[in-house]
Amino acid sequence: MTSEVFKNQYKNYGRNEAVMQQERRERLLEEQRSARQHEFDSGRPGLLQEIENHASEDPEDAEAEIMECQPSTQPNAAQRRHRMSRRSKLYAKKLQLSEWMYERPEDLENWYSVPCPVGQRCLLVIRNKLAIAYDKRGQSIATVRTNIHVQDKRGPIVLDCVLTSNHIFYILDVLVYQQLDLVQCDCQFRYTWIANKFTEDELNERFNAKSTIKKNRLELKLLPHYDCTPLDSLAECLAHYPAFDDVGTQLDGFLFYHKASHYVYGKTPLVTWLFPFMLSDVLQLPVGLVHQGYDEQRPATYDGNYAQFIAEFEKRQKNLKRRKKHHKPGNTAEIHPEDTMDTSYVSVEHNPDDDALWEAMEMAPLDSDDEDLHSSGINAND
């Protein structure tokens, strides 16, 4: 009897994940309404100012902030790739990560849907014809020489991207574009801005200009975004199968961005995630709106009860991390195809024997010791 009395006083008693997520969304949106003024009043520097401060401290290398370069005496190709690897505190822990979508948002008209490919999430920093990609820990995973010349006085370009195994950077979002810091701008403005600049500044063509070998070419592409209402717009997104026309690009899932959301470092309830086979159930969509190809990819463990599936998925993820910590070199843990969620958890791995390919691409290793990452069985082989 006593336990029942106290049980009703528990903070989250009788409330599910969906209710609490909605409350966090509303609270975060309210905080964002006054965030810009707060940032200004507190004098706290934005990302652009942080980058400029570090550039002024070391004008010879704008990306020099706490970067640990490897010794230059290593002879073979694999060691040369490792030598090129850098770590930067400036770009560590600045990726925006998603939460599960626990139920259809009441304001679905205020959301975008974005198809997200399998790959490694990264911040792509372009400055002085050099593009460096950093994972969420600030470790460089790729260095690319481009023809995008961004003068120091105009500032850098910082893009939230997914680097896929077929050597394509897909742009999810933008944080900084030259003299404009977009972190505190709403998603709708950021998407409009990068879409216009991607075309106006010919970013794709200029990004590829320094690639001399077509086979090893790194590309830069912009992911499409779709309004979630009216349903005709969402149908255009969900009826397109396969999701990507590029050979070798696989769909991981769908990200949903609240149009009013600022760019948040870390997880946020204003960016949510669903696997393709969960779309109809969670969003309560009419039959036939989602291409049947996505439904056919559902794992045997999924019976439409998405809340139970999410709980079991999270439990499996914890077990995978535990196994990775105790995994001995030489043994490959079994990873199932459905064991991916939000590309921030996926590491793209390359074939260490294909040294000529990776040296030509000027790539640092794409693996990671981050316990939040696990292999999805993807290899960067042509």
Side-chain angles (χ1 to χ4, degrees):
M1 178 65 180
T2 303
S3 61
E4 288 297 320
V5 172
F6 283 104
K7 183 177 181 180
N8 286 299
Q9 297 179 9
Y10 291 167
K11 181 179 180 181
N12 296 326
Y13 178 71
R15 302 160 67 209
N16 58 27
E17 289 288 349
V19 173
M20 291 187 287
Q21 186 179 62
Q22 180 59 35
E23 290 177 353
R24 286 186 288 112
R25 283 185 193 136
E26 293 172 356
R27 185 167 60 249
L28 184 55
L29 286 171
E30 181 62 33
E31 291 172 355
Q32 286 182 174
R33 292 186 182 101
S34 59
R36 291 178 184 173
Q37 187 62 43
H38 174 73
E39 295 289 332
F40 179 80
D41 293 341
S42 65
R44 182 179 177 182
L47 179 57
L48 178 59
Q49 187 175 341
E50 287 186 65
I51 295 172
E52 291 176 341
N53 289 342
H54 289 293
S56 62
E57 292 172 6
D58 191 345
E60 294 184 358
D61 186 355
E63 314 302 335
E65 193 269 356
I66 315 297
M67 287 185 176
E68 303 167 358
C69 295
Q70 306 299 324
S72 59
T73 57
Q74 301 169 341
N76 62 50
Q79 291 174 323
R80 283 197 296 273
R81 289 197 306 272
H82 185 60
R83 184 185 68 220
M84 293 164 60
S85 179
R86 302 175 174 184
R87 189 181 297 276
S88 171
K89 287 186 178 179
L90 178 59
Y91 299 112
K93 298 181 180 179
K94 282 188 167 62
L95 280 171
Q96 178 172 253
L97 306 178
S98 66
E99 295 185 1
W100 289 98
M101 180 183 285
Y102 287 101
E103 69 176 18
R104 175 187 172 121
E106 295 180 0
D107 60 341
L108 192 61
E109 68 278 5
N110 292 326
W111 291 77
Y112 288 127
S113 173
V114 181
C116 185
V118 172
Q120 183 158 359
R121 284 286 298 281
C122 59
L123 288 182
L124 184 64
V125 183
I126 305 173
R127 191 167 197 164
N128 298 330
K129 294 188 177 183
L130 186 67
I132 303 177
Y134 299 92
D135 67 14
K136 69 178 183 179
R137 299 183 66 190
Q139 182 71 42
S140 66
I141 60 172
T143 303
V144 186
R145 296 190 183 280
T146 78
N147 198 34
I148 301 175
H149 183 60
V150 182
Q151 299 177 358
D152 287 342
K153 63 181 180 180
R154 297 181 63 195
I157 297 173
V158 182
L159 304 171
D160 180 349
C161 295
V162 178
L163 174 56
T164 59
S165 61
N166 55 340
H167 315 145
I168 300 175
F169 285 99
Y170 287 95
I171 302 173
L172 271 173
D173 211 332
V174 56
L175 289 77
V176 171
Y177 202 93
Q178 297 178 348
Q179 280 296 301
L180 186 61
D181 192 326
L182 294 152
V183 172
Q184 296 298 327
C185 296
D186 62 62
C187 179
Q188 191 168 18
F189 180 84
R190 297 196 310 270
Y191 276 15
T192 301
W193 184 269
I194 190 57
N196 291 335
K197 288 299 180 181
F198 187 81
T199 302
E200 291 175 7
D201 295 345
E202 301 178 333
L203 294 185
N204 183 33
E205 292 79 2
R206 295 167 66 192
F207 186 81
N208 297 330
K210 290 293 183 179
S211 298
T212 57
I213 306 175
K214 185 175 182 181
K215 178 182 177 182
N216 300 338
R217 193 176 203 178
L218 275 158
E219 296 186 70
L220 182 66
K221 296 191 175 184
L222 182 64
L223 287 170
H225 62 276
Y226 303 85
D227 283 300
C228 288
T229 60
L231 287 183
D232 289 347
S233 176
L234 189 59
E236 182 183 355
C237 171
L238 305 182
H240 189 77
Y241 183 86
F244 304 100
D245 297 327
D246 299 305
V247 177
T249 301
Q250 303 175 45
L251 179 68
D252 193 6
F254 288 87
L255 286 167
F256 296 85
Y257 290 77
H258 195 286
K259 294 179 180 179
S261 64
H262 294 180
Y263 193 96
V264 177
Y265 302 150
K267 284 192 175 184
T268 170
L270 296 175
V271 180
T272 57
W273 170 273
L274 287 176
F275 284 127
F277 54 84
M278 304 169 69
L279 292 167
S280 295
D281 296 319
V282 179
L283 294 177
Q284 303 169 26
L285 300 176
V287 176
L289 192 70
V290 180
H291 194 283
Q292 63 178 8
Y294 295 130
D295 289 329
E296 292 172 357
Q297 295 176 0
R298 68 173 59 197
T301 55
Y302 183 74
D303 60 1
N305 186 339
Y306 57 86
Q308 179 180 347
F309 179 84
I310 291 173
E312 292 177 350
F313 182 94
E314 289 297 309
K315 182 178 180 180
R316 171 172 279 186
Q317 288 294 94
K318 291 180 181 179
N319 290 336
L320 284 172
K321 293 177 187 178
R322 192 177 302 113
R323 287 165 58 188
K324 182 175 180 179
K325 288 181 179 179
H326 298 89
H327 181 59
K328 296 180 180 179
N331 296 328
T332 303
E334 181 183 3
I335 306 296
H336 297 278
E338 65 268 26
D339 292 337
T340 60
M341 175 201 165
D342 194 347
T343 321
S344 58
Y345 293 99
V346 181
S347 174
V348 180
E349 298 182 346
H350 70 274
N351 184 346
D353 297 326
D354 199 357
D355 290 333
L357 167 64
W358 290 93
E359 184 177 6
M361 292 171 60
E362 298 185 77
M363 297 290 284
L366 292 182
D367 54 354
S368 172
D369 60 355
D370 192 326
E371 66 180 7
D372 286 340
L373 301 176
H374 67 270
S375 170
S376 60
I378 308 165
N379 293 311
N381 300 323
D382 290 321

